């Protein structure tokens, strides 16, 4: 199958945003909706006219890229003028702020843009005055000799996350600049609005049960729906970790959509009492806060699987999407009819999210209880196999590995088409350094479910351990293309590039990874692993003090976790603090670290590769 790569190119990009939108929305929602519709209609036509591409709409803002700075600035000027004229139709005139920058951008397979250039354009737009097209010094340098452009210096500005940068207000002295005659007027229909939505976030369902003890159940239902929708190739679905960070907040839907980078949100509530369940859901256009669809399901608890399927299909219908035959085969398939077993399965999944040895052990017990209630529950067997894999990775106990094999085998006997079971089997083989057999299982998982992030991510880790770095790189890039917000794959792409000796690319990848980690920490401020991997990257980038602070933060959050201790030792190795690095590696091994084959290929240990103590510790790992 063809691999999707994250590519880089030079581009001029701009952000445009409606001035006064929030205040207008508070007093006149219909008028505010019209403002967004006018922005989208004008943007599409203007950007097309000036040979650009709309990257995405984010609420009342738009991101676009152009093949040249001249075209970007011209398009910004046209859009700004036309918008001021057409916004009058809403009852009040509104201006835009536009920010233009040029530089290297990273492009995902879906066409989204990432990197410092995009962030700079957004910050420049925020610094612009109403009606102003503000450009960076880099744009000014390229266009200052052109007669049709006039620039007014705005001075140096210190932009958040960017630093000091010279800004200029740009105007275009061209009599032809005006509102394009072909730009459509008026309001799009509701159906046309729905058809423009191709990204979605699924928020955790609120627990409205009397005892407030059903959070695991609401989370499980929401996650099942999220996973089902993520299998639809035409729809980008934000990761569970990011979506669930908004649990219990009162943040406006438009702001949540902006932070998640999605155009729509699915939110709901669940009330469970005895043998009945009531689930209320609504689909919201995150660009304007309007409701697109809502429904309430008041059923017997035995109908829970049918309800999940109905909700997911209703969302697909509401967005005017359809499933391919392959997607239909992979869509929501209940692997048990026993609701009590399913509840234990959901409890186990909830425990897995805490990612500690104790929570994984409790999750293992929940999976076993689910299997006792339904011995034919394939997904529970696959979950049990994964639990034993993780417990082996922490403690290196052979019985866990054998139990992982047994559980995975049983899952595949019950459901040979269960991709998660093939992933668990692949992880087991990888732990035993049986990399050929692991590859066969991971390949089968990707065939069964081409959108399964775990299949590519753990396959990539297996290839890295085996020393097949080129293959690992492609797989990490594929994993990131499926889940662009995942910081772990971003960090490991940088590590593989460094090990391959592609230093310049590795440094750019490090910068993208730290941006991803920063975004993740906005939602998950107490996640040790994010601080851990971020500290390694900061150390590589030469940000010594910040690297040490993040390292200390990670170890304070998870002082006994072997993976955290290992990554902390990597930070010291990168910083050249050899004694602390080797002592940290030893503590990680004593805490249960396994996998000497990973350590052998980790580029963070390059300087210490020939150190006698390092070689002794790696030998000890390989024997464990």
């Amino acid at each position: 199958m063809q691999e999707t790569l994250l590519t880089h190119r030079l581009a001029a990009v701009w952000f445009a945003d409606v001035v006064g939108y929030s205040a207008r929305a508070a007093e006149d929602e219909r008028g505010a909706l019209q403002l967004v519709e006018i922005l989208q209609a004008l943007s599409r036509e203007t950007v097309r006219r000036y040979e650009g591409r709309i990257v995405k709409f984010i609420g009342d803002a738009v991101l676009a890229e152009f093949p040249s700075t001249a075209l970007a600035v011209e398009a910004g000027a046209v859009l700004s003028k036309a918008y001021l004229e057409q916004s009058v139709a809403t009852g009040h005139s509104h201006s835009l702020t536009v920010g233009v920058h040029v530089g290297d951008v990273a492009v995902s397979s879906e066409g989204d843009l990432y990197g410092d250039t995009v962030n700079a354009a957004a910050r420049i737009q925020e610094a612009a005055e109403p009606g102003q097209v503000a450009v960076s010094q880099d744009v000014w340098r390229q266009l200052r000799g052109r007669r049709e452009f006039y620039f007014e210096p705005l001075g140096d500005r210190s932009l958040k996350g960017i630093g000091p940068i010279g800004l200029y207000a740009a105007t275009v002295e061209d009599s032809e600049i005006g509102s394009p005659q072909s730009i459509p007027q008026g309001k799009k229909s509701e159906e046309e609005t729905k058809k423009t939505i191709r990204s979605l976030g699924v928020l955790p369902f609120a627990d409205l049960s009397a005892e407030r003890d059903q959070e695991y159940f609401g989370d499980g239902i929401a996650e099942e729906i999220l996973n089902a929708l993520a299998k639809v190739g035409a729809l980008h679905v934000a990761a569970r970790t990011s979506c669930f960070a908004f649990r219990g907040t009162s943040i406006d839907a438009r702001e949540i959509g902006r932070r998640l980078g999605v155009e729509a949100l699915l939110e709901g509530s669940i009330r469970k009492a005895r043998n009945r369940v009531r689930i209320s859901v609504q689909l919201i256009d995150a660009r304007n806060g309007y409701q697109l669809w809502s429904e309430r399901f008041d059923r017997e608890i035995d109908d829970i699987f049918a309800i999940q399927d109905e909700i997911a299909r209703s969302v697909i219908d509401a967005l005017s999407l359809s499933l391919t035959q392959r997607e239909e085969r992979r869509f929501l398939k209940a692997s048990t009819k026993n609701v009590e077993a399913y509840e234990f399965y959901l409890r186990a999944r909830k425990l897995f999210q805490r990612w500690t040895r104790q929570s994984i052990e409790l999750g293992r017990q929940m999976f076993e209880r689910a299997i006792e209630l339904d011995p034919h529950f394939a997904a529970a067997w696959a979950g049990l196999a994964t639990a034993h894999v993780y417990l082996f990775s922490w403690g290196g106990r052979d019985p866990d590995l054998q139990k992982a094999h047994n559980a995975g085998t049983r899952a595949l006997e019950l459901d040979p088409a269960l991709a998660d079971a093939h992933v668990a089997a692949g992880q087991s083989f990888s732990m035993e350094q049986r990399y050929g057999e692991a590859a066969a299982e991971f390949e089968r998982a990707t065939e069964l479910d081409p959108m399964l992030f775990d299949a590519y991510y753990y396959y990539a880790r297996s290839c890295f351990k085996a020393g097949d770095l080129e293959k690992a790189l492609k797989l990490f890039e594929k994993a990131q293309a499926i889940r662009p917000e995942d910081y772990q794959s971003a960090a490991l792409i940088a590590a593989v590039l460094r090990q391959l000796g592609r230093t310049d690319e590795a440094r750019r990848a490090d910068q993208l990874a730290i941006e991803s980690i920063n975004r993740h920490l906005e939602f998950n401020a107490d996640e040790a692993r994010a601080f851990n991997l971020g500290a390694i990257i900061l150390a590589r980038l030469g940000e010594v003090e910040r690297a040490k602070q993040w390292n200390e933060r990670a170890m304070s959050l998870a002082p006994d976790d072997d993976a955290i201790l290992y990554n902390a030792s990597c930070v010291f190795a990168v910083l050249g603090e050899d004694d602390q690095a080797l002592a940290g590696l030893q503590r990680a091994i004593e805490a249960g670290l396994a996998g000497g084959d990973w350590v052998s290929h980790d580029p963070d240990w390059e300087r210490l590769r020939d150190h006698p103590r390092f070689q002794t510790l790696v030998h000890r790992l390989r024997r464990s």
Side-chain angles (χ1 to χ4, degrees):
M1 64 186 289
Q2 186 176 0
E3 301 290 351
T4 303
L5 301 178
L6 192 67
T7 59
H8 289 262
R9 63 172 174 248
L10 186 68
V13 300
W14 55 238
F15 263 96
D17 186 80
V18 180
V19 178
Y21 175 82
S22 297
R24 182 71 182 274
E27 65 182 29
D28 176 14
E29 288 189 356
R30 184 170 296 279
L33 175 59
Q34 285 182 285
L35 288 175
V36 173
E37 291 170 343
I38 292 170
L39 174 68
Q40 293 186 1
L42 283 170
S43 296
R44 287 193 177 92
E45 176 58 26
T46 306
V47 170
R48 180 196 61 76
R49 177 180 170 185
Y50 287 92
E51 303 176 27
R53 178 179 73 91
I54 296 288
V55 178
K56 58 186 172 185
F57 292 105
I58 311 166
D60 63 319
V62 56
L63 170 64
E65 70 162 326
F66 297 84
S68 76
T69 52
L71 290 169
V73 175
E74 288 174 357
V78 167
L79 179 67
S80 181
K81 181 181 179 185
Y83 192 82
L84 180 63
E85 294 172 354
Q86 291 200 21
S87 65
V88 176
T90 70
H92 300 287
S93 64
H94 284 258
S95 299
L96 296 179
T97 51
V98 182
V100 188
H101 190 45
V102 62
D104 181 73
V105 294
V107 190
S108 74
S109 60
E110 292 86 5
D112 206 351
L113 300 184
Y114 301 92
D116 290 342
T117 298
V118 179
N119 294 336
R123 298 303 182 193
I124 293 167
Q125 172 267 311
E126 292 172 358
E129 296 294 327
Q132 201 171 67
V133 178
V135 305
S136 67
Q137 195 166 19
D138 291 337
V139 172
W140 169 76
R141 285 195 187 101
Q142 291 190 21
L143 301 179
R144 58 185 172 179
R146 301 274 292 268
R147 290 185 177 181
E148 67 269 32
F149 297 104
Y150 174 76
F151 297 98
E152 178 186 351
L154 299 176
D156 289 344
R157 304 288 181 89
S158 182
L159 304 183
K160 183 179 178 182
I162 304 299
I165 186 172
L167 298 185
Y168 295 80
T171 55
V172 183
E173 299 295 338
D174 189 334
S175 60
E176 294 182 3
I177 293 295
S179 179
Q181 297 301 310
S182 59
I183 294 178
Q185 308 284 330
K187 182 177 179 180
K188 290 183 297 182
S189 70
E190 182 177 332
E191 288 306 311
E192 289 174 325
T193 298
K194 290 177 180 179
K195 288 178 181 178
T196 67
I197 295 174
R198 290 299 177 263
S199 58
L200 175 77
V202 180
L203 302 181
F205 287 8
D207 175 20
L208 300 184
S209 301
E211 294 80 11
R212 295 295 191 270
D213 59 350
Q214 298 296 313
E215 183 179 284
Y216 76 91
F217 193 75
D219 280 7
I221 302 306
E223 188 172 359
E224 292 274 26
I225 294 168
L226 184 155
N227 290 337
L229 292 172
K231 298 180 190 302
V232 182
L235 185 66
H236 168 66
V237 180
R240 182 202 65 79
T241 307
S242 299
C243 293
F244 281 31
F246 290 98
R247 181 194 310 281
T249 66
S250 57
I251 300 174
D252 182 80
R254 291 166 294 186
E255 176 63 15
I256 295 176
R258 185 189 68 77
R259 294 192 192 180
L260 291 175
V262 298
E263 299 156 318
L265 296 171
L266 182 71
E267 63 177 19
S269 63
I270 186 164
R271 185 188 301 273
K272 183 166 166 281
R274 296 195 178 96
N275 66 334
R276 293 198 66 82
V277 62
R278 173 180 292 173
I279 300 178
S280 299
V281 288
Q282 58 177 335
L283 183 66
I284 300 170
D285 188 333
R287 301 168 298 187
N288 51 46
Y290 276 60
Q291 186 182 92
L292 297 170
W293 165 81
S294 66
E295 187 63 77
R296 190 177 80 179
F297 302 86
D298 200 344
R299 309 271 184 85
E300 297 290 327
I301 190 69
D302 289 344
D303 289 334
I304 190 62
F305 306 110
I307 296 172
Q308 290 176 20
D309 185 83
E310 191 170 340
I311 292 172
R313 292 180 186 277
S314 295
V315 171
I316 291 171
D317 290 341
L319 300 181
S320 301
L321 295 169
S322 59
L323 296 174
T324 66
Q325 288 185 348
R326 189 171 190 177
E327 289 168 349
E328 182 68 53
R329 289 195 298 269
R330 293 186 285 109
F331 209 60
L332 268 168
K333 303 293 182 186
S335 58
T336 182
K337 295 182 179 179
N338 188 312
V339 175
E340 189 179 0
Y342 184 61
E343 289 198 54
F344 277 107
Y345 171 77
L346 294 181
R347 288 178 188 270
R349 291 255 298 268
K350 177 75 172 177
L351 286 162
F352 263 45
Q353 293 162 16
R354 298 178 190 171
W355 202 247
T356 65
R357 192 192 307 248
Q358 182 181 19
S359 66
I360 298 298
E361 173 59 32
L362 288 172
R364 176 192 64 78
Q365 296 173 26
M366 294 292 133
F367 282 130
E368 288 181 342
R369 183 70 181 120
I371 290 166
E372 288 174 11
L373 291 165
D374 181 1
H376 297 94
F377 193 172
W381 280 105
L384 180 61
T386 303
H388 280 297
V389 167
Y390 292 147
L391 291 170
F392 173 80
S393 70
W394 270 314
R397 297 181 302 172
D398 288 336
D400 277 315
L401 198 53
Q402 186 57 51
K403 289 177 180 178
H405 277 306
N406 294 343
T409 299
R410 182 57 180 150
L412 291 171
E413 288 173 351
L414 292 167
D415 187 355
L418 184 60
D420 288 324
H422 287 282
V423 172
Q427 289 178 274
S428 298
F429 286 129
S430 182
M431 287 291 178
E432 293 183 298
Q433 291 85 50
R434 295 162 63 181
Y435 297 117
E437 292 162 281
E441 293 294 344
F442 288 126
E443 290 284 357
R444 182 59 180 147
T446 61
E447 290 171 6
L448 291 167
D449 189 349
M451 299 303 291
L452 183 59
F453 169 85
D454 283 358
Y456 297 100
Y457 177 75
Y458 287 109
Y459 190 6
R461 291 183 66 94
S462 182
C463 290
F464 184 86
K465 290 167 60 181
D468 189 350
L469 301 182
E470 293 287 356
K471 181 71 171 177
L473 177 61
K474 291 181 179 180
L475 290 164
F476 278 131
E477 288 174 333
K478 178 64 176 177
Q480 191 181 48
I482 291 172
R483 193 178 293 173
E485 58 271 60
D486 179 67
Y487 69 88
Q488 296 182 91
S489 53
L492 291 170
I493 285 170
V496 177
L497 286 168
R498 196 166 299 276
Q499 186 68 353
L500 286 168
R502 292 156 62 174
T503 308
D504 291 342
E505 292 176 75
R507 186 170 183 82
R508 286 198 298 271
D510 276 331
Q511 291 167 340
L512 292 173
I514 203 67
E515 291 172 13
S516 179
I517 291 172
N518 278 323
R519 287 193 295 269
H520 182 83
L521 287 172
E522 287 181 20
F523 302 118
N524 307 275
D526 293 325
E527 186 172 315
R529 184 163 174 78
F531 280 109
N532 216 204
L533 293 181
I536 296 173
I537 294 168
L538 290 170
R540 291 179 190 149
L541 294 173
E543 297 189 38
V544 177
E545 290 307 314
R546 194 171 169 214
K548 289 182 176 180
Q549 290 171 3
W550 281 32
N551 213 26
E552 291 173 4
R553 176 69 171 149
M555 288 190 288
S556 69
L557 289 167
D560 301 319
D561 187 285
D562 60 300
I564 298 299
L565 291 171
Y566 170 72
N567 285 326
S569 70
C570 290
V571 176
F572 291 123
V574 174
L575 293 176
E577 300 181 10
D578 297 355
D579 290 341
Q580 284 183 275
L582 294 167
L585 178 57
Q586 183 168 336
R587 285 196 298 273
I589 294 171
E590 291 168 352
L593 182 72
D597 43 358
W598 180 278
V599 180
S600 298
H601 295 101
D602 194 331
D604 297 332
W605 296 101
E606 190 61 41
R607 280 190 322 98
L608 295 173
R609 196 82 65 198
D610 297 326
H611 194 291
R613 187 178 177 190
F614 177 78
Q615 292 180 342
T616 299
L617 290 170
V618 171
H619 180 67
R620 177 178 168 185
L621 267 174
R622 285 174 173 160
R623 292 179 57 192
S624 63

